[in-house]
Amino acid sequence: MTESFNESIQRAAILLKSARHAVALTGAGISTPSGIPDFRSPGTGEWAKLDPLDVVSLTTFHRDPARFYAWLRPLIVKMAVAKPNPAHNALAELERMGNLQAVLTQNIDELHQEAGSKNVIELHGSLETLSCPTCKRTISGDACYQNFINENVMPRCTVCGSILKPDIVFYQENLPEKAWFTAVHYAEQADVFLVVGTSLEVMPVSSLPIYALENRAKIIILNFSSTYFDNQATISIKDNIAFVLPEIVHVILKES
């Protein structure tokens, strides 16, 4: 018999409340209610309109950085005004209550931190800094992006004049080594692994639930679309994440 929505919420709350080492993996879907577009939704995602290799690859950046920055500019504008939504707040509350050990995120929008999450592992880097590909200097992003948005001038190194690269992971580029190995460690230790707002299509991040399952973790998937891991999940809820996660936290608080 198919489990009802409320029954799934109750079971998810019980699993998270009793977990000793629960970990969350988040993707773009958790930030779409905050007004930040995702990448893979059919017809509406960023990659439904553009080939990512044409805009967010090292090859493109080195050959035509203006093309990359033209794509990045509206995204930065949206991120600048975006605020955490109830799903971000719910994960921060789970951590505060001791029911969540870490958030492993593919997002670069910093909304988890703004919501109050303390232990956030940024697997795809961050827009907080930029690096010079020539002299390897690291520069804070705030002033660079403000000038870029206001004047539409690409950020340049003040020492050598090279165009700066945001410290996010491009296609053809490896994940930050420390972040990746930290994420694998958390996944391997997890007894409950919460997948939120990601279609699990991008390697190697999509392999993290496998590490958790090898530790016999219970897998909870909250995502609008199906994932390759749904059949392995203990619970899979396809609904509005900004509603589902707060409901789970509400049940935990009520039963506490």
Side-chain angles (χ1 to χ4, degrees):
M1 188 171 66
T2 303
E3 186 173 61
S4 72
F5 174 81
N6 287 336
E7 288 170 337
S8 295
I9 292 290
Q10 290 285 338
R11 280 210 302 140
I14 290 169
L15 286 178
L16 285 166
K17 184 180 178 183
S18 61
R20 297 184 306 277
H21 198 282
V23 176
L25 169 64
T26 69
I30 195 172
S31 293
T32 52
S34 296
I36 299 174
D38 71 357
F39 294 90
R40 286 180 168 75
S41 291
T44 60
E46 286 289 292
W47 303 151
K49 299 173 282 185
L50 294 166
D51 181 346
L53 291 176
D54 283 345
V55 287
V56 196
S57 69
L58 286 177
T59 298
T60 297
F61 185 79
H62 292 315
R63 183 182 65 233
D64 187 8
R67 180 168 172 76
F68 163 74
Y69 273 108
W71 169 81
L72 182 66
R73 192 171 188 272
L75 186 61
I76 288 180
V77 171
K78 289 174 182 175
M79 287 183 180
V81 298
K83 297 297 179 186
N85 65 63
H88 295 106
N89 296 334
L91 288 180
E93 180 68 6
L94 284 172
E95 183 185 41
R96 188 193 67 76
M97 294 188 301
N99 297 114
L100 189 69
Q101 301 302 311
V103 174
L104 321 176
T105 189
Q106 300 170 85
N107 298 341
I108 58 172
D109 53 38
E110 308 264 324
L111 291 180
H112 286 301
Q113 293 91 326
E114 190 174 339
S117 291
K118 304 298 184 186
N119 193 14
V120 181
I121 312 302
E122 295 177 308
L123 290 161
H124 288 169
S126 168
L127 287 169
E128 190 173 358
T129 58
L130 302 93
S131 294
C132 176
T134 303
C135 65
K136 310 305 180 186
R137 288 166 57 87
T138 298
I139 294 94
S140 173
D142 289 343
C144 289
Y145 293 131
Q146 187 171 4
N147 189 44
F148 171 55
I149 291 170
N150 293 338
E151 306 295 334
N152 203 23
V153 176
M154 288 187 292
R156 288 186 178 271
C157 179
T158 55
V159 174
C160 70
S162 297
I163 293 175
L164 299 172
K165 175 189 172 296
D167 289 330
I168 59 175
V169 177
F170 282 45
Y171 284 88
Q172 303 169 324
E173 191 171 27
N174 293 327
L175 268 59
E177 191 172 272
K178 182 179 178 182
W180 172 246
F181 285 116
T182 301
V184 169
H185 172 74
Y186 275 112
E188 288 177 334
Q189 300 299 312
D191 56 353
V192 174
F193 195 83
L194 180 62
V195 176
V196 183
T198 172
S199 55
L200 296 176
E201 291 183 13
V202 179
M203 288 291 289
V205 174
S206 60
S207 67
L208 287 172
I210 298 173
Y211 289 101
L213 194 63
E214 288 174 348
N215 186 46
R216 299 184 179 180
K218 304 295 185 184
I219 311 294
I220 303 171
I221 299 179
L222 311 178
N223 195 55
F224 261 127
S225 61
S226 298
T227 77
Y228 84 95
F229 218 71
D230 286 356
N231 290 337
Q232 306 285 345
T234 305
I235 301 168
S236 177
I237 303 176
K238 294 179 175 61
D239 209 312
N240 184 351
I241 297 164
F243 174 72
V244 172
L245 263 174
E247 279 296 297
I248 292 171
V249 172
H250 175 72
V251 172
I252 293 174
L253 288 170
K254 186 172 66 173
E255 294 185 355
S256 297

